[in-house]
Amino acid sequence: MHVVVIGGGVVGVTTAWELCRRGHQVTVLERHSLAGNETSKANAAQRSYGVVYPWADPAMVLKALPWLVKQDGPLKMGMPPSLATLRFMFSTLRYAWSPGLFGFNRRAMLRLAKHSRERFLVLENELELNFDGAHKGLLHLASTPEALDGYRRTQRLLKSMDIPARILNAAEVEQLEPGLSGNGPLYGAISYDTDGTGDCHLFSRELARACEEKGVVFRYEVDVEQLLADDRRVNSIMLRCKDGQRENLNADAVVVSAGCWSDKLTRPLGQPLPIYPVKGYSLTATITDEQKAPISTVHDDRYKVVMTRLGDRLRATGFVELNDFDRSIPQARLETIKKAVRGRFPGCTDIDSAESWTGFRPMTPDGPAIIGRGNRENLYLNTGHGVFGWTLAAGSADVIASVIDNQEPAVCLDAFRPERFSE
Ligand SMILES: Cc1cc2nc3c(=O)[nH]c(=O)nc-3n(C[C@H](O)[C@H](O)[C@H](O)COP(=O)(O)OP(=O)(O)OC[C@H]3O[C@@H](n4cnc5c(N)ncnc54)[C@H](O)[C@@H]3O)c2cc1C
């Protein structure tokens, strides 16, 4: 079967790999000149299999409001908010206050993450990919005793799902991450020992190369304009090439993995996908003192900033900002991220020389990604992965490939079903 995957981010490329492994002829369409160059480019680099949770968190609603007004609070919003932002927020509130939904979705995401870890390990064994990848664990720091109590509750839930997590005191944390010598308060941490890290952009490019070696066709610098369909199926894909020429491409099946831009393709077919671009920022700098740098990845709960080791580089990431597709990078945001780095790993890098980046998490208003069959018999969706697309890429690629092959997916997809937004 010839399957066309729209989008060459980490989700699209991993999907292409799984389909190719199963013997399909695969074409990937990507508007950038290389893979993993949009949201997958400079994210926090965590493969946080134990830390996936839905965006619509009822406990977060009240906590988040003060963050909006605090100068270095982790949540920001463009003012005045656009209609799209307001619609997304109200929809989020509706899901957050749906009884039982958060717990149901969280467990579903954790199951998918567990599967993703297994699939990543298989993939990393099968292929030699250089992406500064490691599985050396993940720490969520507690800067207050209350934060540590919260982690104890999380640990109980994870234990019930056979997901390992340990509560550490401050001395144990410092033993695991000796570079943590800053003046930030530290009461302990929750440690996810089997979680991992890796450069999502490098991974996407390396995997795209491996796919090409196996016969997958990557067409870069093409913009998919429209899916041409009748009531039953998608008949062809209209794309615009770099030279402005239009082309109609035929396919037996189409997978939309176009991140924040997926709705543009499916809405005209009567399948709206309410994916909102939740903005974040990152800084990447060369490590100048190994001993003072993180060994793996650390989440600082004060600023909600993540600091990750990627080979000889440090990646520091933060902020959740509702500001549509605004690509500006205000200095104030970067200063907060720098403050977090200096407060936790002082002297590990010249953070002022770091390269800055901003990207958009493809967020659904409830939180789980959109994975499954679309509203045409040969249309499939693997998109809307929000905060956790890197973590969930390998697992979601495997399950969507099973759906396409009419096999039972390894993970129940109820929480991810595309049609849930119109129910
Ligand atoms: C600051 C930040 C930190 C993050 N940290 C983490 C983390 O630590 N761990 C984690 O798991 N996740 C993290 N994420 C989330 C993760 O990066 C995303 O979920 C993931 O990259 C989404 O991948 P994707 O392939 O769905 O989307 P994208 O990478 O955006 O790929 C979609 C691709 O589709 C292409 N496209 C769209 N429309 C068209 C069209 N019409 N024609 C042709 N091409 C098209 C785009 O050019 C793009 O390349 C973070 C995100 C941000 C912003």
Side-chain angles (χ1 to χ4, degrees):
M1 183 154 73
H2 178 214
V3 188
V4 167
V5 178
I6 304 175
V10 70
V11 173
V13 176
T14 318
T15 300
W17 171 254
E18 276 298 336
L19 290 167
C20 167
R21 278 180 86 242
R22 291 163 183 243
H24 295 292
Q25 180 198 340
V26 185
T27 304
V28 179
L29 304 175
E30 169 54 52
R31 64 160 76 111
H32 282 272
S33 59
L34 63 167
N37 211 36
E38 194 53 73
T39 309
S40 306
K41 182 148 188 194
N43 64 24
Q46 293 189 325
R47 290 185 284 171
S48 55
Y49 315 111
V51 198
V52 292
Y53 49 83
W55 161 257
D57 178 351
M60 270 298 147
V61 174
L62 290 179
K63 268 194 206 164
L65 287 177
W67 290 345
L68 271 175
V69 285
K70 209 173 150 217
Q71 166 76 18
D72 50 16
L75 176 65
K76 298 283 168 218
M77 184 159 46
M79 287 295 172
S82 68
L83 202 60
T85 304
L86 290 173
R87 204 178 288 136
F88 178 72
M89 281 173 55
F90 284 123
S91 191
T92 294
L93 289 178
R94 188 167 70 84
Y95 286 114
W97 288 331
S98 297
L101 188 67
F102 177 79
F104 173 78
N105 285 342
R106 187 178 191 187
R107 284 171 188 273
M109 290 173 74
L110 281 165
R111 281 191 290 269
L112 181 59
K114 212 172 166 186
H115 183 55
S116 202
R117 179 172 187 277
E118 285 164 20
R119 296 306 306 165
F120 262 119
L121 293 177
V122 169
L123 202 155
E124 284 174 66
N125 274 338
E126 270 176 7
L127 299 170
E128 200 153 309
L129 304 177
N130 297 314
F131 62 103
D132 288 331
H135 279 107
K136 291 187 185 166
L138 183 158
L139 287 178
H140 267 221
L141 305 183
S143 62
T144 61
E146 295 74 34
L148 206 54
D149 288 342
Y151 296 158
R152 285 197 181 95
R153 288 192 291 277
T154 301
Q155 189 197 26
R156 281 197 287 277
L157 166 75
L158 295 176
K159 198 169 173 207
S160 73
M161 297 184 69
D162 273 339
I163 298 170
R166 290 185 295 146
I167 300 294
L168 307 180
N169 63 32
E172 289 167 327
V173 173
E174 281 159 6
Q175 224 170 15
L176 270 189
E177 284 287 358
L180 265 174
S181 59
N183 57 10
L186 185 61
Y187 285 84
I190 182 165
S191 174
Y192 301 88
D193 297 336
T194 56
D195 283 8
T197 50
D199 186 323
C200 181
H201 173 67
L202 284 182
F203 175 88
S204 307
R205 292 180 64 177
E206 285 271 299
L207 187 59
R209 180 188 50 73
C211 284
E212 281 180 308
E213 281 168 11
K214 295 269 182 207
V216 175
V217 174
F218 277 76
R219 294 193 54 186
Y220 293 110
E221 302 187 85
V222 294
D223 201 350
V224 176
E225 292 191 329
Q226 207 184 339
L227 302 179
L228 300 168
D230 57 28
D231 287 348
R232 211 165 58 84
R233 51 189 289 118
V234 176
N235 295 312
S236 65
I237 300 144
M238 191 201 282
L239 44 104
R240 185 192 279 270
C241 305
K242 199 182 170 190
D243 59 8
Q245 293 289 321
R246 287 213 168 82
E247 184 184 324
N248 258 353
L249 185 69
N250 292 320
D252 299 312
V254 177
V255 185
V256 175
S257 291
C260 291
W261 299 269
S262 301
D263 175 71
K264 272 192 187 158
L265 299 170
T266 60
R267 188 173 285 267
L269 305 185
Q271 177 131 47
L273 302 176
I275 296 172
Y276 182 89
V278 174
K279 190 178 178 187
Y281 302 87
S282 75
L283 287 169
T284 308
T286 305
I287 289 169
T288 48
D289 189 334
E290 292 258 327
Q291 310 302 318
K292 295 180 176 169
I295 286 174
S296 187
T297 182
V298 169
H299 177 271
D300 184 348
D301 65 326
R302 284 179 313 161
Y303 303 109
K304 313 283 177 215
V305 166
V306 169
M307 289 153 267
T308 303
R309 170 78 158 259
L310 288 171
D312 63 355
R313 295 169 297 150
L314 174 86
R315 168 84 41 84
T317 319
F319 288 103
V320 162
E321 186 168 317
L322 307 178
N323 203 3
D324 298 328
F325 283 100
D326 170 69
R327 288 200 190 251
S328 65
I329 304 184
Q331 195 56 33
R333 305 281 188 280
L334 303 184
E335 289 308 321
T336 302
I337 297 175
K338 288 178 189 179
K339 192 155 69 173
V341 173
R342 291 188 183 113
R344 290 299 183 191
F345 292 97
C348 73
T349 180
D350 172 15
I351 194 70
D352 286 326
S353 69
E355 193 179 328
S356 59
W357 173 81
T358 184
F360 306 112
R361 303 169 181 94
M363 195 74 80
T364 59
D366 51 354
I370 300 166
I371 309 171
R373 201 183 287 273
N375 67 354
R376 298 294 190 281
E377 65 185 29
N378 62 341
L379 175 65
Y380 301 90
L381 306 166
N382 185 10
T383 186
H385 283 272
V387 187
F388 302 111
W390 173 214
T391 303
L392 299 175
S396 64
D398 176 62
V399 295
I400 195 65
S402 293
V403 173
I404 292 170
D405 283 346
N406 279 318
Q407 294 166 352
E408 188 65 24
V411 174
C412 169
L413 291 178
D414 282 358
F416 305 94
R417 66 198 188 285
E419 61 279 9
R420 67 189 190 269
F421 304 109
S422 44
E423 285 166 356

